[in-house]
């Protein structure tokens, strides 16, 4: 298997470029698990991966004023990518740049994946520019009228110790016509690892869904939004959990695979192989190679 794995890497020819928009881009090891998950997915899709590390602050208006060259270089990199990834993180620095990148991906139909804080930024962006709540923000960063992201009520506000929602949790799919559900092999639920203390405000869910942002995955109690997808978009997906934590070379993370396939323009073709009646075992049994796309459905 090792020889087969190495031979497959050497055969990769076509390149796929992903823009990683974050605040820790000067230290790539900060995103080690994210980079591994991207590489696993690209390997599975038979692509060479090129990652453009973009500091989120460089996309902001303040940088345009203070350092226009850096600003335009950052936007040029973002616009040249085949897909956009906004990973998790903490703190307010770079938030407006992440939101700007997400708005660009949404309006330009660029494949997008948001992880944890990336999901929360996607909701903020949508609330501002689609629902027209110009002051929409997260309670983590601003005390505004429209707090579309709030601290989980069972935690003590202001106390940062021992207040995170951690570990393996179950996400239940509530929409059968979900891209992410298909990527997971049409499972009714999936278990993924979490690490967050803020969540989407349930008060805005109905309004977001009416406008086209669907929360297709939810917690056991149906109160916490775990997965969102945007209607009429090639791939606009965000998850509250961290799927990269359990990604493996021969079993890559489903959301990351979706991003790479969409960035390659192959997602629609891949999903056409998935029938609602088929089980993950039925689908994978048809593949002669461990690196075929149909084997992704071995998420058992």
């Amino acid at each position: 298997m090792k020889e087969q794995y190495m031979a497959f890497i050497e055969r990769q020819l076509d390149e796929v470029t992903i823009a990683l928009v974050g605040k820790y881009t000067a230290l790539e090891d900060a995103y080690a698990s994210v980079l591994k998950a991207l590489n696993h997915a690209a390997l599975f899709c038979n692509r060479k991966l090129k990652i453009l590390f973009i500091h989120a602050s460089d996309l902001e208006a303040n940088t345009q004023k203070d350092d226009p060259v850096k600003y335009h270089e950052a936007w040029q990199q973002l616009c040249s990518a085949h897909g956009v990834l906004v990973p998790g993180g903490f703190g307010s620095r770079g938030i407006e740049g992440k939101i700007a990148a997400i708005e660009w991906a949404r309006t330009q139909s660029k494949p997008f994946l948001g992880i944890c804080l990336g999901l929360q930024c996607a909701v903020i962006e949508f609330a501002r520019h689609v629902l027209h709540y110009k002051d929409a923000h997260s309670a983590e960063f601003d005390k505004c009228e429209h707090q579309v992201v709030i601290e989980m009520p069972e935690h003590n506000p202001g106390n940062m110790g021992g207040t995170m929602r951690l570990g393996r949790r179950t996400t239940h799919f509530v929409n059968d016509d979900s891209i992410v559900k298909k990527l997971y092999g049409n499972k009714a639920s999936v278990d993924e690892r979490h690490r967050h203390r803020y969540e989407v405000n349930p008060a805005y869910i109905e309004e977001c869904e009416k406008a086209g942002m669907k929360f297709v995955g939810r917690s056991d109690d149906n109160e916490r939004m775990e997965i969102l997808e945007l209607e009429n978009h090639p791939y606009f997906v965000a998850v509250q959990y961290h799927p990269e934590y359990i990604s493996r070379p021969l079993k890559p993370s489903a959301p990351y695979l979706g991003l790479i396939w969409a960035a390659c323009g192959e997602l629609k073709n891949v999903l056409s192989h998935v029938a609602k009646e088929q089980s993950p075992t039925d689908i994978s049994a048809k593949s002669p190679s461990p690196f075929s796309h149909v084997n992704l459905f071995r998420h058992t």
Side-chain angles (χ1 to χ4, degrees):
M1 180 61 72
K2 181 179 179 181
E3 291 76 12
Q4 189 179 12
Y5 179 84
M6 296 306 297
F8 188 79
I9 292 177
E10 293 175 1
R11 289 202 305 270
Q12 292 175 295
L13 298 175
D14 295 332
E15 188 174 75
V16 60
T17 303
I18 301 298
L20 191 155
V21 182
K23 64 184 289 188
Y24 312 118
T25 53
L27 183 63
E28 294 180 12
D29 283 353
Y31 298 114
S33 57
V34 171
L35 301 183
K36 289 291 185 182
L38 283 171
N39 274 288
H40 297 162
L43 169 67
F44 218 87
C45 298
N46 195 22
R47 292 294 190 277
K48 285 185 178 180
L49 177 66
K50 179 180 179 180
I51 300 177
L52 302 176
F53 292 93
I54 302 175
H55 198 291
S57 296
D58 292 347
L59 299 171
E60 296 177 354
N62 286 338
T63 302
Q64 183 180 20
K65 179 181 178 181
D66 299 336
D67 193 340
V69 173
K70 181 183 289 186
Y71 173 84
H72 289 293
E73 286 178 347
W75 274 102
Q76 184 179 37
Q77 281 192 307
L78 181 68
C79 295
S80 70
H82 300 125
V84 179
L85 171 65
V86 176
F90 296 93
S92 60
R93 180 165 57 90
I95 288 297
E96 294 303 325
K98 294 176 183 179
I99 292 172
I102 293 170
E103 181 186 14
W104 181 82
R106 178 180 62 81
T107 57
Q108 299 301 312
S109 297
K110 279 287 183 180
F112 163 76
L113 176 62
I115 305 295
C116 197
L117 179 60
L119 175 143
Q120 296 167 13
C121 288
V123 173
I124 294 169
E125 189 280 321
F126 193 81
R128 288 182 183 180
H129 303 120
V130 178
L131 302 183
H132 304 296
Y133 295 136
K134 300 301 182 184
D135 70 334
H137 221 312
S138 168
E140 181 179 3
F141 311 126
D142 189 18
K143 293 182 179 180
C144 59
E145 179 183 357
H146 297 289
Q147 291 187 344
V148 294
V149 176
I150 58 173
E151 192 163 13
M152 289 182 283
E154 66 269 31
H155 293 160
N156 298 317
N159 182 5
M160 303 298 280
T163 61
M164 298 187 75
R165 183 171 178 247
L166 298 169
R168 177 176 169 177
R169 310 275 177 159
T170 300
T171 294
H172 300 270
F173 288 102
V174 298
N175 188 331
D176 288 334
D177 189 28
S178 160
I179 290 176
V180 180
K181 183 177 182 179
K182 292 175 182 177
L183 289 168
Y184 276 108
N186 279 316
K187 286 190 169 185
S189 64
V190 292
D191 290 341
E192 295 278 6
R193 290 170 59 183
H194 292 67
R195 189 172 183 268
H196 67 109
R197 64 169 57 91
Y198 290 86
E199 64 175 341
V200 180
N201 189 340
Y204 292 89
I205 300 305
E206 183 178 355
E207 198 169 356
C208 284
E209 293 206 314
K210 285 182 178 179
M213 178 172 276
K214 303 298 184 182
F215 294 93
V216 300
R218 305 190 181 195
S219 60
D220 286 322
D221 58 8
N222 202 42
E223 290 295 321
R224 295 211 160 99
M225 304 301 111
E226 299 281 6
I227 306 171
L228 69 79
E229 297 178 9
L230 198 63
E231 289 183 337
N232 303 316
H233 193 286
Y235 191 78
F236 191 98
V237 167
V239 296
Q240 185 59 74
Y241 49 82
H242 290 267
E244 64 272 12
Y245 289 165
I246 60 174
S247 177
R248 299 294 182 268
L250 301 184
K251 189 179 177 182
S253 161
Y256 283 86
L257 268 172
L259 175 65
I260 298 297
W261 267 324
C264 296
E266 296 181 0
L267 181 60
K268 186 176 293 187
N269 177 54
V270 170
L271 294 182
S272 69
H273 290 79
V274 186
K276 292 183 179 180
E277 295 78 13
Q278 286 180 299
S279 70
T281 305
D282 293 334
I283 296 171
S284 61
K286 297 180 181 180
S287 172
S289 165
F291 300 103
S292 173
H293 70 264
V294 291
N295 277 308
L296 88 99
F297 303 112
R298 287 176 174 169
H299 287 273
T300 56

